[in-house]
Amino acid sequence: MDILADKLRPKSLNDVIGQKHLVGPNKILSNLVKNRKLFSMILYGKPGIGKTSIAYAIVNELNLKAKFMNATINNKSDFDTAIMEAKLNGELVLIIDEFHRMNKDKQDILLPHLESGSIILIGLTTSNPYHKINPAIRSRCQIFELKELTVRDIAEGLKKAAKYLPGIKINKDALEYISNLASGDLRFAINLLEVCYYSTDDKKITLDLVKEINNKPAFFHDANEDGHYDVLSAFQKSIRGSDVDASLHYLARLIEAGDLDSIYRRLSVIAYEDIGLANPGIGPRLMAAIHAADLVGLPEARIPLGEIVIEMALSPKSNSAIMAIDEALNDIHKGNTGNVPNHIKTTSPDYKYPHNYPNDYVKQDYLPENIRNRKYYQMKNNKVEVSLNNLHKEMRNEK
């Protein structure tokens, strides 16, 4: 029996729900199709937001020979067969789902054929390719991030799906509830709609019916298109503002959405942007908490995450590190660089090795001549930075 979500697979980029930054008028993927030119690419983002739909729409519009594969299911011999097919046809678009799970052997097989152009790769992944995918593959692909679908996008998709369900009657409350419940996953929303439809005699879908089938709370995202990012923003600002209860509230909303990756990424930013040198040990402790959460999975993941969020909210805060590196980058962008001083170049005989001097310190210039007195780092008044500053002064024999 055909699944409704598959029936709704877009035939062209115009049919894709959301992702207007990629498939809207005059956007990059739309223009590639318009110019009838395709390059290897990696599409990444959360489940159910249109990665597969975009891949199919592209090859359908360009009328290209394509083969769909899965990195976890297809073995090495399957990929060998696909490569042979590409050689026979002169060119083959290879759409590979779960691309981040491809092992090195499979990746190595693809490389020369990506290089020659006999295979055009469209990799689909839920993981950040900059972390999970071989750099050699990445360098041969354009990388596009898909954005989370909004509640409005989900509702639009559900209305399209309803046209394929004869006699369906769905009230506004039920439609909004499913749209919120989906947490940006259109495939989930369409599948739930189809289950609801076939579970009734009269084809009437009410809010009570949806809750009876799936009663997962739907409060974790605000009912507007920026809801998910608003929750993440509120999460960071609550920790930055040292409000432990608000921090836990927004953590709970993100946990209820099952969005562990967003939690991990945002906490990693907070640890170094907002807490920084005021509590430099928080980074390793956060990584340990993330590892534990990943190891046990939900629902137990809430325990290490809750503990680390409490610690981060109660921790002293400092943004001196981000301010310092941004100042340094600002100089680079303005062209304030200059030559590396001669005495610290690679083969210089004039370099003074600090470990040969008392306190492992010797006075010498390190910055280029034209910015030799530039100060990027400005100390914040917290115990750790004050202590580090005092040690620095002691090392330099300063009072």
Side-chain angles (χ1 to χ4, degrees), residues 105-156:
D105 287 344
K106 293 176 185 174
Q107 292 187 20
D108 288 346
I109 290 172
L110 288 180
L111 279 174
H113 306 285
L114 293 181
E115 198 73 61
S116 69
S118 61
I119 285 180
I120 297 174
L121 169 70
I122 303 181
L124 313 176
T125 176
T126 55
S127 294
N128 189 327
Y130 295 102
H131 300 158
K132 299 284 188 179
I133 292 172
N134 186 331
I137 292 282
R138 286 205 316 264
S139 70
R140 290 160 175 81
C141 297
Q142 300 302 311
I143 296 175
F144 301 112
E145 180 179 7
L146 275 65
K147 295 181 179 178
E148 184 172 354
L149 295 179
T150 65
V151 173
R152 189 179 303 166
D153 291 332
I154 300 295
E156 179 187 343

Side-chain angles (χ1 to χ4, degrees), residues 33-229:
V33 169
K34 188 189 301 181
N35 293 319
R36 305 201 65 77
K37 185 66 177 177
L38 186 60
F39 300 92
S40 289
M41 66 180 71
I42 296 171
L43 306 176
Y44 82 98
K46 289 180 66 177
I49 61 174
K51 298 184 294 295
T52 305
S53 293
I54 287 176
Y56 273 122
I58 288 172
V59 297
N60 186 67
E61 282 200 77
L62 293 177
N63 195 28
L64 296 172
K65 178 76 174 175
K67 190 176 186 69
F68 186 90
M69 303 184 77
N70 187 299
T72 60
I73 297 171
N74 294 108
N75 57 33
K76 185 174 178 291
S77 64
D78 294 328
F79 284 92
D80 288 333
T81 302
I83 290 167
M84 185 61 66
E85 192 175 335
K87 289 177 178 177
L88 292 172
N89 288 284
E91 184 180 85
L92 177 69
V93 179
L94 203 54
I95 303 170
I96 305 177
D97 202 4
E98 300 287 336
F99 189 65
H100 59 283
R101 297 187 184 277
M102 274 192 81
N103 61 35
K104 189 176 184 302
D105 287 344
K106 293 176 185 174
Q107 292 187 20
D108 288 346
I109 290 172
L110 288 180
L111 279 174
H113 306 285
L114 293 181
E115 198 73 61
S116 69
S118 61
I119 285 180
I120 297 174
L121 169 70
I122 303 181
L124 313 176
T125 176
T126 55
S127 294
N128 189 327
Y130 295 102
H131 300 158
K132 299 284 188 179
I133 292 172
N134 186 331
I137 292 282
R138 286 205 316 264
S139 70
R140 290 160 175 81
C141 297
Q142 300 302 311
I143 296 175
F144 301 112
E145 180 179 7
L146 275 65
K147 295 181 179 178
E148 184 172 354
L149 295 179
T150 65
V151 173
R152 189 179 303 166
D153 291 332
I154 300 295
E156 179 187 343
L158 288 173
K159 289 172 184 176
K160 284 188 175 182
K163 295 176 182 178
Y164 288 79
L165 300 171
I168 188 174
K169 301 180 188 70
I170 180 168
N171 62 36
K172 182 181 177 183
D173 289 343
L175 183 70
E176 289 181 354
Y177 186 81
I178 295 174
S179 300
N180 279 281
L181 195 67
S183 187
D185 187 334
L186 181 57
R187 184 171 52 236
F188 169 89
I190 292 172
N191 288 343
L192 179 56
L193 179 72
E194 190 174 18
V195 171
C196 292
Y197 174 79
Y198 285 108
S199 66
T200 68
D201 289 332
D202 57 5
K203 311 305 180 192
K204 185 176 181 181
I205 300 175
T206 64
L207 179 58
D208 288 341
L209 173 65
V210 179
K211 287 183 175 180
E212 184 180 340
I213 293 170
N214 191 320
N215 62 0
K216 181 180 178 182
F219 60 79
F220 43 81
H221 283 327
D222 297 331
N224 63 65
E225 60 185 64
D226 295 320
H228 175 66
Y229 298 102

